[in-house]
Amino acid sequence: MMTHIMSLTPSRRRWLVVLCMILVPCVILNFASTPDVHEETLLQHSIAELQVKLEHLHSKYINSQEEIQLLTYQLVQLTEGAHLLPDVQVFINNSNYNVTNVKLPSVYNFLPHLLSDPNSLRPAFIHSKGRSGVSIVLGIPTVRREVQSYLMATLKNLLDRMSPQETADTLIVVFIAETDIEYVMYVAKQIEVHFPDEFESGVIEVISPHPSYYPDFAKLRDTLGDNHQRVVWRSKQNLDFAFLMSYAQIKGTFYVQLEDDILAKKNFITTMKSFALQKVSMKENWVVLDFCQLGFIGKLFKCVDLPWLVQFFLMFYNDKPVDWLLDHLISTKVCSLDMDNKRCKMAKAELWLHYKPSLFQHVGTHSSLKGKVQKLKDKQFGKITLYYGHQNPDAIVESQIKPYKQFTLNKAYKGDSFFWGLLPQPGDHLRFKFVHPIFIKRYLFRSGNAEHPSDKFYNTTVEVLPQSINSVDRNHNNVTEDGYIIVGKFDSLGIARGTVDKKLGKIAVLRLTVHSESDNWAILSEIHVEEDFNS
């Protein structure tokens, strides 16, 4: 690090000294404010964090110099032989930038179709509050799925697993990899409705590519013996990853590649950041930190490394899947031609570090590739919670929705499993008739689960039948024809929670009523009816 700094010009060294004067006091203050953390480890992590931030800022500086050089070159070309203002002439004469005719390869050499439209590398849709300087950028590409979408459940899970401090130091970039702008805006609106605070504050950004970003997929070469549909699918994925990484590289220090159908463990942001800083402080020359054993999920990179990763992916986007390309890239760096597989594997393991147990699990069953069913699970992640059991008041349980196999409503009410019903229809009821009428303090019904997030109750109300008929005002608009009082409904996340007014007296029956046809089955993963013993 010191050798690299001393090799800089005096002006750049002065710039780094000023930066250190700004950042080092912050490190010291942070160090002094947490006496309960091991002092030496905290200091090492603080220095490591400072180092990677300096690398990130230096990368941004290089990018700015590249832009100045390009503009200078273009200025010289445009003004050659022309009469220039004195200040402009002095700038060109004193410029140290390369203004020769030598031009290195660029993205246009690998994707020449991008030259046909100046908008090809601009997002067609973007929602951003300009958030940057965070420690972790989470990249989530998503596409239209024929069977069911997992995106909203994934975003909710990620946000739920972050502390407020982690959220403040994180940016989630959702890349909607579709060119149908109406669909893109629909998904963006869904994100805004489900996560209004994060959408408005800039924790979640949404982008989509311009249609001209993609080549004519019909002209792709068929490779690896795959049919053309699969070649198009994996080639487009490579281009999607490249676009997303290119957008995210200036936003933070570390970049984590995720998918739109995953689960995360609690405080995963802190775990990843601590592990990365530990490796930096130990001077380990890693390229990727792997927090999931499956595919391209949970792979963490330094943002300063993203440009050459993107370049590699673009060079070979038509040839192999992205996880294979990453493996080949690492092999190219450390494996010689005369090295056997065992030695090559050991060499790669020094650049590709695995963290155990895994922090992410793949839960999606239906792939974005039509007809493909993906059942792979990361065994390092541990068991996924599919339901939450509670001890509920004694009741006789009835359902007009046919259960799937052993997943009955009675078992779900007892807390032994979850209820899984086939295709709810308008007018279907789920009844809980209490053996002894009770005062209800609060209720909670949670639909869908980690493996089937779209199997929710939609347009479904929560209703109660008081023990005393005199407590029911039949002229009120929240009373059904058969005398039940509507006290709540399922929201867009598939959850119904609320309280029951004590003025209604003891409740004899609680029921759920479906009001519209559903395209999915329905799961109740949590049923909690809390009795009020003080009334």
Side-chain angles (χ1 to χ4, degrees):
M1 180 75 175
M2 185 59 66
T3 303
H4 176 70
I5 292 175
M6 294 306 296
S7 67
L8 298 176
T9 63
S11 62
R12 294 183 184 179
R13 285 204 299 271
R14 285 195 297 271
W15 176 77
L16 285 176
V17 168
V18 172
L19 185 63
C20 288
M21 291 174 65
I22 295 172
L23 293 177
V24 169
C26 298
V27 173
I28 294 173
L29 285 172
N30 184 45
F31 170 64
S33 63
T34 52
D36 57 330
V37 180
H38 192 276
E39 294 183 356
E40 183 177 355
T41 301
L42 178 61
L43 181 58
Q44 288 176 346
H45 282 194
S46 298
I47 294 173
E49 187 169 10
L50 176 60
Q51 179 180 335
V52 293
K53 286 184 176 180
L54 283 173
E55 291 176 354
H56 182 67
L57 288 170
H58 183 64
S59 175
K60 294 178 72 173
Y61 173 78
I62 294 298
N63 287 338
S64 67
Q65 296 303 298
E66 179 185 3
E67 292 173 358
I68 292 174
Q69 181 173 349
L70 179 60
L71 289 172
T72 304
Y73 174 79
Q74 292 174 341
L75 179 62
V76 170
Q77 296 296 310
L78 289 171
T79 59
E80 199 170 83
H83 178 71
L84 302 178
L85 294 173
D87 290 344
V88 176
Q89 188 65 57
V90 170
F91 170 77
I92 292 177
N93 292 340
N94 295 333
S95 174
N96 294 321
Y97 297 107
N98 175 21
V99 292
T100 68
N101 290 325
V102 175
K103 189 174 186 302
L104 295 175
S106 70
V107 64
Y108 300 109
N109 294 97
F110 311 117
L111 301 173
H113 69 278
L114 297 178
L115 293 169
S116 63
D117 189 337
N119 295 311
S120 57
L121 292 178
R122 298 174 182 171
F125 176 90
I126 182 169
H127 168 81
S128 171
K129 298 295 183 178
R131 190 181 184 92
S132 63
V134 298
S135 291
I136 302 287
V137 181
L138 304 177
I140 305 177
T142 186
V143 296
R144 191 197 305 258
R145 294 175 183 264
E146 289 193 354
V147 179
Q148 62 176 320
S149 172
Y150 304 88
L151 177 61
M152 300 305 158
T154 294
L155 290 174
K156 184 177 188 308
N157 175 264
L158 292 174
L159 293 167
D160 287 347
R161 296 296 186 265
M162 285 191 260
S163 68
Q165 294 77 16
E166 289 176 318
T167 303
D169 199 25
T170 302
L171 171 65
I172 301 174
V173 181
V174 178
F175 176 65
I176 307 174
E178 297 287 348
T179 56
D180 180 351
I181 195 64
E182 290 187 4
Y183 176 77
V184 170
M185 294 180 70
Y186 166 77
V187 175
K189 187 63 179 178
Q190 289 296 305
I191 295 174
E192 181 182 8
V193 169
H194 284 82
F195 312 102
D197 294 338
E198 293 79 7
F199 193 82
E200 180 59 32
S201 65
V203 173
I204 298 178
E205 292 190 2
V206 182
I207 61 172
S208 72
H210 196 275
S212 60
Y213 171 67
Y214 296 112
D216 184 350
F217 288 122
K219 296 181 179 179
L220 291 181
R221 294 175 291 105
D222 291 343
T223 56
L224 302 180
D226 289 338
N227 61 51
H228 191 72
Q229 181 187 20
R230 190 178 185 89
V231 171
V232 169
W233 173 72
R234 56 176 169 79
S235 297
K236 180 180 177 298
Q237 272 197 336
N238 290 337
L239 294 174
D240 292 341
F241 289 129
F243 193 104
L244 179 51
M245 288 179 169
S246 298
Y247 176 83
Q249 64 172 313
I250 63 171
K251 298 286 187 176
T253 305
F254 300 113
Y255 173 83
V256 182
Q257 186 63 62
L258 298 177
E259 292 187 3
D260 64 350
D261 53 355
I262 61 165
L263 291 178
K265 288 189 174 176
K266 191 172 181 60
N267 297 326
F268 67 99
I269 293 292
T270 297
T271 302
M272 291 191 299
K273 181 180 175 181
S274 298
F275 188 67
L277 293 178
Q278 177 192 13
K279 297 305 177 184
V280 171
S281 66
M282 294 170 64
K283 304 293 191 283
E284 295 192 28
N285 187 31
W286 55 272
V287 173
V288 54
L289 302 182
D290 202 339
F291 295 93
C292 180
Q293 309 304 308
L294 300 176
F296 207 46
I297 301 171
K299 307 299 183 278
L300 182 146
F301 308 95
K302 297 175 186 175
C303 283
V304 296
D305 289 342
L306 292 181
W308 54 271
L309 284 168
V310 169
Q311 190 86 336
F312 195 85
F313 295 159
L314 292 179
M315 288 170 63
F316 303 104
Y317 78 94
N318 188 184
D319 299 295
K320 293 183 178 181
V322 69
D323 49 338
W324 291 19
L325 291 180
L326 179 61
D327 183 78
H328 289 320
L329 187 151
I330 303 296
S331 298
T332 300
K333 291 180 69 69
V334 296
C335 297
S336 61
L337 293 176
D338 60 348
M339 188 181 289
D340 59 41
N341 289 336
K342 183 177 180 181
R343 289 174 58 206
C344 178
K345 187 175 181 180
M346 291 175 61
K348 289 194 297 183
E350 295 181 2
L351 300 187
W352 191 325
L353 306 180
H354 293 266
Y355 179 89
K356 295 181 181 180
S358 297
L359 298 183
F360 304 99
Q361 178 64 288
H362 180 261
V363 296
T365 302
H366 303 282
S367 170
S368 55
L369 175 61
K370 185 176 181 179
K372 180 184 178 185
V373 177
Q374 178 64 276
K375 294 185 178 181
L376 290 177
K377 301 295 178 187
D378 189 337
K379 295 180 181 179
Q380 292 287 339
F381 184 82
K383 189 175 181 181
I384 297 176
T385 301
L386 297 179
Y387 68 94
Y388 303 87
H390 298 279
Q391 185 174 354
N392 291 309
D394 292 339
I396 300 171
V397 177
E398 301 173 345
S399 171
Q400 291 178 295
I401 303 174
K402 184 179 179 180
Y404 173 67
K405 294 185 177 180
Q406 75 274 19
F407 301 103
T408 64
L409 184 60
N410 191 50
K411 285 186 176 181
Y413 189 74
K414 291 181 178 179
D416 296 333
S417 182
F418 57 89
F419 168 70
W420 202 357
L422 311 182
L423 295 175
Q425 301 295 313
D428 283 347
H429 297 298
L430 286 77
R431 292 188 185 86
F432 308 91
K433 184 177 181 181
F434 300 111
V435 175
H436 305 288
I438 62 171
F439 287 99
I440 296 178
K441 186 175 184 180
R442 62 177 61 91
Y443 62 85
L444 167 64
F445 294 93
R446 187 185 307 275
S447 63
N449 65 18
E451 292 188 343
H452 302 277
S454 296
D455 286 4
K456 300 174 183 176
F457 277 92
Y458 302 93
N459 195 17
T460 300
T461 53
V462 181
E463 304 161 357
V464 296
L465 181 65
Q467 179 185 30
S468 173
I469 198 68
N470 295 327
S471 62
V472 179
D473 179 4
R474 292 187 177 274
N475 295 320
H476 203 279
N477 57 9
N478 67 337
V479 179
T480 66
E481 292 182 357
D482 53 353
Y484 281 78
I485 301 173
I486 300 172
V487 295
K489 64 179 181 179
F490 283 80
D491 61 22
S492 59
L493 294 175
I495 298 173
R497 68 173 85 225
T499 58
V500 177
D501 193 339
K502 293 180 182 180
K503 295 178 181 178
L504 295 177
K506 290 188 175 182
I507 303 301
V509 184
L510 184 151
R511 79 178 181 188
L512 308 180
T513 300
V514 179
H515 297 282
S516 59
E517 186 176 356
S518 176
D519 294 330
N520 301 319
W521 294 6
I523 287 176
L524 277 179
S525 53
E526 185 172 10
I527 302 174
H528 190 196
V529 180
E530 188 176 348
E531 186 173 356
D532 189 346
F533 295 100
N534 296 323
S535 298

